[in-house]
Amino acid sequence: MPASIIPKPDGGKVVKTNCFECHAKCGVLAHVDSSGTLVKVEGNPEDPRNQGRLCPKGRSAVQILNDPHRVNYPLKRVGKRGEGKWERISWDEAMDTIEKRLKEYKKNFGGESVVFGQGTGRGTNQWNHRLGNTLGVNHWCSPAHICLLPLMTTSLYMFGMLPIWDGCDFERSQCMVFWGSNLVWTEATISAGEVGRSRNRGAKIIVIDPNYEHPLASRADHFLPVRPGSDSALAMAWINVIIEEDLYDHDFVKKWTNAPMLIDAETLDPITEAAFKKEGNKGQLMIWDEMTHSPQPIGSTTASPALNITQEITLTDGRKITVTTAWQILRQRAAAMPPEKAAKLCWLETDKIKEAARMYATTKPGAITVFQGIEEHTNSKHTIQAINTIMAITGNIDVYGGNMWVPFWNEMLGPRLAGMPPESHAQKRLSNFKHYPNSHPTQVWDAILTGKPYPIKAYISVQGNPISWSENSNKVVEALHKLDFLVVMDYFMSPTANLADIVLPSAHWTERDYIADELCGRWFFGQQKAVEPLYERRSDITFMRELGRRLDPKWWPWKTNEELFDFQLEPYKITWAELKEQWIFENTPFIEKRYEQNGFPTPSQKLEIYSLIFKSTDSDPLPDYEEPAESPYSQPGVAKDYPFILTTGRRYPNYYHSAYRGIPYLRELAPEPRVFINSETAKKLGIGENEEVWIESPHGKIKMKAQLTDGIHQRVIALPHGWWQACPELGLPGYPDNIANANCLISDKYHDKDLGTPGSRSSLCKVYKA
Ligand code: SF4
């Protein structure tokens, strides 16, 4: 028995493993009795992150494992699609059918006709990529466009690393900023402890969130209840304050960022050495040296880079152009957003904006955590880039107490695990968005419906419910109905599973072995099963590996999951057996200022306030204010009929996205979906507490009960996503036919033009009695 399994005197055992009801992956002690039955889970005090704490979702593991409504056997559809008539089949029959159908589609329509999809991911993202690459085209249809990819992409471009989320070093921070992020709910067991300890020793807290009931709002030194989607205006105003009040870190900005880089003031193109010398290097970026009053290479160790310079130069070809620095353009853009203007756009007070910006810039070190609150807007690129710029110019990047380097995702999602398709196949991905690296869900649904640019015949979904996660849900339903072949592997019969041809039973985290990695950054864990899978449930990775071997064993040489885990762990010089034995493994110690060794892993080796990658594809290289596509300011005509800002995706600490409304212990904590309406607004609309109301956007309407509150702006309507499941044990209903599905309200016409994000958290709506 490995050391991570502790025998009990009564013949039972305690298994050290990790919860996977959310991405925090808290350390768990799973108690199993002598009959092999899971009887209890508790937090593992040895886990340095959750230190013995578990949230309600984690504590419900035994209930989720044994829930009577779980899918337990492979099922085949025998009625019409969606009719709910099923026949139990064997795993062999299910796998034979899937293999045969996928091979036929590849032969007749090409590998691109099969889409592998997922939801938030249960640790199998990279293997999902690999399945797509095995067939030829890696669509990876997932909610990544509203969760993580905009943040990851922009951060990797600017920093070459991921200093956000898990990179926040709250333990050593003097100023913690929660910007559109509610980590003390969403990763409660870890973040709440860190934040509480830091608060107790005097660290400041700033909360920027439209929700007055954010758990830290009442404890914050500054709470800015920003208008949903106006965060780019607020961030540019912070940059304005920080630059104009000289609160930025001069040394860091000059030495480690590309802010001093010379650019053409009109086109914003970088100026290279070739502009100054006939034989100059066309790839060498330049700065202006204040000492010698001459252009010098950007990496020059002797030069003193000028930040504020604009002058006319004559190029080697005789043309005259005005040259400036990236810093100057940033400064001009920030100057166009004084706090007074931002206050009007963001529905905030001018002084509050200034005071909060000053507090963050002068209380060092400071860490900003951001998440979906800033991401799920049609202006996500500019918002994220502006907030990242704030971290950068204050020198809070990769320092203890600030936002630290987390390299893990680069390794786990790299080509070694996901595989690399030929370039011609990569080009077949369905994305109009230059910086969205996978097939964009909206374009996948369109391709299924129209057959253009090529037919999509099959969709294989492992732990995903796109009817719930994708914008314009009604179109998703239409598209799934049109598919030739839909396979869904999940815990429960979700609305997506209900439309499938084959449904497969997915093993719970207590029933499966896996490596708990991904977002952990500093550590990863041997997430070993506590019990054997019940009924005929199988682990997702078993299904993917076996399907992969059937499709092409060259891509999937591993005969067992253990062999696959050993391959995954190779770079860390540890085997699966050893990882299981020791349970916890320290991957990347937090060491500050790694950039001092070799610079930043970006094209310029500087922290790129001006993103060369964005510029190389004709996207804006610098941050700026941008209105959401649907707002009272961008569409005043529409706002006359739809006067409220709609923000969806309001969180519950007891649910994870669309999961677990069927678990009685969790459902009791939040029994039904409610739309949050300001009490004064409700009075004007004649809406009472608990009354049913329609919430209507220009794109659809849904119905929920009203929850009246003073904890939200009078012009903002907030509602949750993910409601579909019934809880028969409590007599609480499900919500079929998308009647309470927030994504029916969200347009698939408006997306961030670079990153493909829809306006899930900033659209327009009206509300009226049902
Ligand atoms: S925060 Fe809760 S759900 Fe998430 S891993 Fe920890 S115990 Fe599980």
Side-chain angles (χ1 to χ4, degrees), residues 397-409:
I397 285 292
D398 212 22
V399 291
Y400 293 136
N403 290 78
M404 301 275 291
W405 189 332
V406 183
F408 204 43
W409 270 87

Side-chain angles (χ1 to χ4, degrees), residues 370-401:
V370 290
F371 226 108
Q372 285 158 307
I374 62 154
E375 193 176 38
E376 292 181 351
H377 306 280
T378 57
N379 54 5
S380 63
K381 178 259 182 196
H382 274 306
T383 302
I384 298 164
Q385 211 178 356
I387 295 173
N388 284 354
T389 299
I390 292 167
M391 298 176 199
I393 65 176
T394 50
N396 275 316
I397 285 292
D398 212 22
V399 291
Y400 293 136

Side-chain angles (χ1 to χ4, degrees), residues 19-26 54-55 57-58 186-189:
C19 173
F20 204 156
E21 304 305 355
C22 87
H23 284 286
K25 300 178 188 125
C26 297
L54 291 185
C55 80
K57 300 185 287 283
T186 53
E187 291 194 353
T189 52

Side-chain angles (χ1 to χ4, degrees), residues 363-548:
T363 314
K364 298 284 189 72
I368 303 181
T369 174
V370 290
F371 226 108
Q372 285 158 307
I374 62 154
E375 193 176 38
E376 292 181 351
H377 306 280
T378 57
N379 54 5
S380 63
K381 178 259 182 196
H382 274 306
T383 302
I384 298 164
Q385 211 178 356
I387 295 173
N388 284 354
T389 299
I390 292 167
M391 298 176 199
I393 65 176
T394 50
N396 275 316
I397 285 292
D398 212 22
V399 291
Y400 293 136
N403 290 78
M404 301 275 291
W405 189 332
V406 183
F408 204 43
W409 270 87
N410 305 4
E411 295 165 32
M412 295 311 294
L413 287 183
R416 206 176 73 84
L417 300 186
M420 286 293 278
E423 188 50 31
S424 59
H425 288 165
Q427 284 167 3
K428 283 194 176 162
R429 282 184 202 150
L430 298 165
S431 178
N432 286 339
F433 306 100
K434 287 175 279 192
H435 301 282
Y436 188 73
N438 308 300
S439 284
H440 191 277
T442 290
Q443 287 169 254
V444 170
W445 316 134
D446 284 341
I448 293 170
L449 288 167
T450 64
K452 291 181 182 149
Y454 48 76
I456 299 239
K457 294 289 178 187
Y459 190 100
I460 316 295
S461 172
V462 177
Q463 301 269 13
N465 181 11
I467 291 177
S468 185
W469 62 246
S470 177
E471 62 272 33
N472 196 356
S473 307
N474 290 325
K475 185 193 267 185
V476 182
V477 174
E478 210 186 317
L480 297 183
H481 267 284
K482 189 144 189 251
L483 276 171
D484 224 37
F485 190 51
L486 174 62
V487 177
V488 176
M489 183 167 189
D490 212 331
Y491 290 174
F492 296 100
M493 190 60 79
S494 70
T496 301
N498 197 42
L499 297 182
D501 296 277
I502 290 182
V503 178
L504 300 172
S506 189
H508 187 238
W509 59 267
T510 53
E511 303 171 286
R512 69 167 203 179
D513 284 334
Y514 204 60
I515 300 165
D517 50 39
E518 293 187 295
L519 297 183
C520 295
R522 183 167 172 185
W523 290 281
F524 57 86
F525 301 86
Q527 188 205 17
Q528 61 186 317
K529 63 188 171 192
V531 293
E532 290 304 318
L534 302 178
Y535 307 97
E536 291 188 12
R537 300 172 191 168
R538 282 193 186 171
S539 113
D540 303 338
I541 193 62
T542 304
F543 165 67
M544 291 175 148
R545 184 181 53 73
E546 288 186 3
L547 178 60

Side-chain angles (χ1 to χ4, degrees), residues 416 565-574:
R416 206 176 73 84
F565 297 150
D566 283 344
F567 170 75
Q568 187 168 347
L569 290 166
E570 251 170 43
Y572 308 99
K573 306 209 178 337
I574 185 170

